[in-house]
Amino acid sequence: MGATARFEGRRFVGGRLRKAVVVLATAVAVSSAGTAVGAAAPHGPVLRAPAGGYQELSVPSTMGPIKVQVQWAARGGSSALYLLDGLRAPADHSQWTSDTDVLRQFAGDDVTVVLPVGGRSSFYTDWYRPSSTNHQATTYKWETFLTRELPAFLAGYGVSRTNNAIVGASMGGNAALTLAAHHRDQFRFAGSLSGFVHPTFPLWNEAMRAAMWDEGNFNVDDMWGPAGAPAWTRNDATEQAELLRGLPMYVSTGDGAPGPLDVPNGVGNTINAMGLEALSTIATQMLRDRLTALGIPARIDFVHGTHTWPYWQQAIATARPSILEAFGAH
């Protein structure tokens, strides 16, 4: 997809956002010292998902039709792995398919890989109303889609509503954990890769405001209301940590130090990716401390790397054995 698709944080730390990141980082430091297209569900009951292969589905939703890329379980099993994109989610494909080898990684596994398309700047949540600053036509209702409409649609193909895992990168990381927290009957595993997993921390909302404005002129107040509103707490993985008790989890973040995987992105993008990953590291540390205080086990890896897709490809490979173990799909 080229350089733009390869780097989730491209242009992310610039202008208003750069100022927000600097203020936020300062506050934290002080405080912390084969393609087929299906337009509808299959006719009649289907007892098993197709055994292997790739398909693109058009799934009805309250937001209109949503494209979903699917790699079916290799042997027709019923479990599914939902993968969520970052803030700059493209409108025509999941970046997991263009910027990682995740489909190859899971090609031989009895797990359906589910890749919803779209939702940039949505945080995969149900918004209060359409964004008032960019003439958005419909209200984002991504939690409703991912936990009701999409599972119901996939059930027509034999995919379980209750035997799933969910993993997200960047914007999708916090969403994966909070969706799993509030829908424990659906998910058996959750993972966050470089996620901003504590959005209620002081001034974090302003960094999100700047980021969402930079990516499509979206208004964060139309998403969860003003800072301190109940929806902020509900959608904060660190604040909802108790609801994750007993759920297998994998959380990873880089240290912001660039390496060979950053070279194709160029110096400017690498600097942005370093800053974003530093914020992710701080948030992940706070989530780790919260889970530790509650006595909730989770695998949390602090590794080398920045805020970009090659590192998330490595992270999903690390998480894969735990994902398969969570629903016995080796």
Side-chain angles (χ1 to χ4, degrees):
M1 295 298 298
T4 300
R6 293 181 59 82
F7 182 62
E8 163 60 19
R10 187 177 179 89
R11 304 188 313 277
F12 201 65
V13 183
R16 181 190 303 182
L17 178 56
R18 181 180 291 111
K19 295 177 182 178
V21 168
V22 170
V23 172
L24 176 58
T26 302
V28 170
V30 171
S31 302
S32 306
T35 305
V37 177
H43 297 291
V46 176
L47 299 180
R48 292 174 64 85
Y54 171 86
Q55 192 169 4
E56 293 182 355
L57 306 175
S58 179
V59 183
S61 83
T62 57
M63 299 179 286
I66 301 295
K67 181 177 177 178
V68 178
Q69 297 172 270
V70 174
Q71 177 174 273
W72 299 109
R75 295 175 293 283
S78 65
S79 57
L81 167 63
Y82 290 54
L83 292 174
L84 305 181
D85 258 342
L87 190 83
R88 301 189 185 281
D92 61 346
H93 72 282
S94 166
Q95 280 194 264
W96 284 101
T97 63
S98 60
D99 294 18
T100 79
D101 66 350
V102 70
L103 294 182
R104 181 196 62 78
Q105 289 187 33
F106 286 87
D109 298 323
D110 206 23
V111 176
T112 292
V113 181
V114 178
L115 303 124
V117 174
R120 65 173 182 160
S121 291
S122 70
F123 284 82
Y124 294 106
T125 189
D126 283 1
W127 285 43
Y128 282 133
R129 52 189 173 266
S131 175
S132 58
T133 49
N134 62 358
H135 307 292
Q136 188 178 22
T138 60
T139 303
Y140 273 149
K141 294 292 181 183
W142 277 96
E143 180 173 354
T144 295
F145 179 69
L146 293 168
T147 63
R148 297 182 189 175
E149 296 163 342
L150 180 56
F153 188 90
L154 292 175
Y157 289 86
V159 177
S160 173
R161 297 172 185 250
T162 61
N163 194 29
N164 305 307
I166 186 166
V167 177
S170 190
M171 172 185 81
N174 182 70
L177 296 182
T178 56
L179 288 169
H182 293 298
H183 301 276
R184 290 293 300 275
D185 59 336
Q186 181 178 354
F187 298 110
R188 295 176 178 263
F189 180 96
S192 169
L193 314 180
S194 301
F196 301 104
V197 291
H198 196 9
T200 63
F201 193 78
L203 297 181
W204 219 276
N205 64 303
E206 292 305 318
M208 290 173 61
R209 179 187 304 279
M212 293 165 65
W213 181 262
D214 184 60
E215 182 52 39
N217 297 339
F218 286 91
N219 185 357
V220 69
D221 295 329
D222 296 320
M223 180 170 69
W224 295 334
W232 281 87
T233 299
R234 185 185 184 277
N235 289 285
D236 184 312
T238 301
E239 294 296 321
Q240 299 301 323
E242 178 59 44
L243 298 181
L244 295 167
R245 187 180 297 277
L247 182 73
M249 288 178 279
Y250 177 70
V251 179
S252 74
T253 187
D255 58 6
L261 295 179
D262 292 280
V263 172
N265 294 318
V267 174
N269 288 333
T270 297
I271 292 172
N272 289 347
M274 292 167 62
L276 289 169
E277 201 67 358
L279 294 179
S280 171
T281 299
I282 293 166
T284 301
Q285 289 170 341
M286 290 187 282
L287 173 63
R288 176 200 60 193
D289 294 345
R290 177 65 173 160
L291 292 172
T292 300
L294 293 172
I296 298 175
R299 177 173 176 179
I300 302 180
D301 287 350
F302 293 87
V303 299
H304 293 297
T306 67
H307 201 79
T308 190
W309 283 99
Y311 296 104
W312 301 333
Q313 175 174 295
Q314 291 182 337
I316 195 68
T318 300
R320 177 176 161 271
S322 298
I323 294 169
L324 299 179
E325 182 179 358
F327 34 58
H330 292 278

